[in-house]
Amino acid sequence: MTFIFPQAAVVGGSVVAFAAGLPESHREDIYLSTMFAQRATRAAYNDGLSGNWFDYYCNQLRFIGWDVPRPEGLSPIQGGSMGAAAAQHIAIRLGEGFSEPTNRALVALERNASALDLFESTSLSQDAGFFQMIPCVQKDAHRVEMGIYHRQFQFRRETSRFFFIDQDDLVQNSTEQLSVITFNTLYYAQFREKVKKSVLSQTFKYLSSLEI
């Protein structure tokens, strides 16, 4: 069965969104790499092998050829939802080229109940949560510029919904980080088949398209 890799999608605990014009081959590489890193990180975290979710996640991306610089810590934005805070950080740090696909993906996510359920349920682990927003813009024929916004947090009370509700009374011990990456598809070619074999069978379970 063939899967068409869309302009935006939930990939487990990440929302990935592409600016117009990126070829499907680039989108496939980024979707499957994201899935690979998430799966390995979640397994290590659940087994107690890693306490810093994002560090381990970035190391998994480096393992498959991504050049991931040290992330920048972000100051919290008070009030509103986590989704709105993520979008605001991306707009401030990365500009309109990245914020426009992010905003379109968030609108689509809020109206897609099954995709939102996949995203929120995959992001949660007991009383803690971890998620990424990943807007992508083409730099040239073989390079894609990407922002990876990561948030790690704990809840004050039990909940299964968090992304589009007011965060002030819900979240504690929150950490927000942002890393900007240039993804080189030519360099990644040596890792492509390894990643595909590892995660392609799980694509239909952990990837949900968003209509933007």
Side-chain angles (χ1 to χ4, degrees):
M1 188 173 183
T2 302
F3 190 91
I4 303 300
F5 292 89
Q7 288 293 121
V10 167
V11 186
S14 296
V15 177
V16 182
F18 294 90
L22 271 88
E24 186 180 359
S25 60
H26 291 5
R27 302 197 303 265
E28 178 181 348
D29 286 344
I30 291 167
Y31 281 134
L32 297 185
S33 296
T34 301
M35 195 178 301
F36 177 94
Q38 281 189 68
R39 189 183 68 169
T41 304
R42 187 172 295 108
Y45 187 85
N46 290 341
D47 290 342
L49 300 179
S50 175
N52 190 314
W53 204 99
F54 196 44
D55 277 356
Y56 197 95
Y57 176 84
C58 290
N59 283 335
Q60 291 303 305
L61 291 175
R62 294 184 186 103
F63 180 66
I64 54 173
W66 290 42
D67 181 15
V68 184
R70 182 175 295 277
E72 169 194 1
L74 302 173
S75 299
I77 294 173
Q78 302 300 323
S81 69
M82 290 198 199
Q88 188 171 341
H89 278 304
I90 289 168
I92 293 169
R93 294 303 193 284
L94 304 181
E96 184 178 356
F98 291 88
S99 66
E100 194 272 339
T102 298
N103 292 337
R104 288 190 294 127
L106 290 180
V107 169
L109 177 62
E110 192 167 14
R111 67 184 182 220
N112 187 327
S114 61
L116 181 58
D117 182 66
L118 171 63
F119 172 72
E120 291 187 314
S121 62
T122 309
S123 297
L124 299 181
S125 177
Q126 298 178 350
D127 66 340
F130 320 85
F131 71 85
Q132 287 74 233
M133 294 289 302
I134 309 177
C136 308
V137 177
Q138 186 153 3
K139 187 171 184 178
D140 58 35
H142 301 292
R143 291 183 296 173
V144 180
E145 287 193 325
M146 306 169 58
I148 299 185
Y149 166 89
H150 170 79
R151 186 161 185 175
Q152 180 170 333
F153 53 91
Q154 289 183 305
F155 289 126
R156 298 181 187 276
R157 53 184 171 81
E158 186 174 342
T159 184
S160 60
R161 291 287 179 261
F162 68 90
F163 197 61
F164 289 115
I165 62 178
D166 190 277
Q167 60 181 311
D168 283 353
D169 295 328
L170 182 66
V171 175
Q172 61 181 353
N173 299 331
S174 178
T175 300
E176 298 173 79
Q177 297 171 279
L178 182 70
S179 189
V180 181
I181 297 167
T182 299
F183 176 66
N184 188 318
T185 61
L186 292 179
Y187 182 67
Y188 176 74
Q190 62 189 300
F191 305 96
R192 184 173 290 122
E193 289 307 312
K194 169 188 173 180
V195 172
K196 276 188 176 183
K197 289 177 181 178
S198 176
V199 301
L200 200 53
S201 64
Q202 297 184 326
T203 299
F204 295 96
K205 181 178 179 181
Y206 290 108
L207 194 150
S208 181
S209 300
L210 298 173
E211 297 296 329
I212 64 171

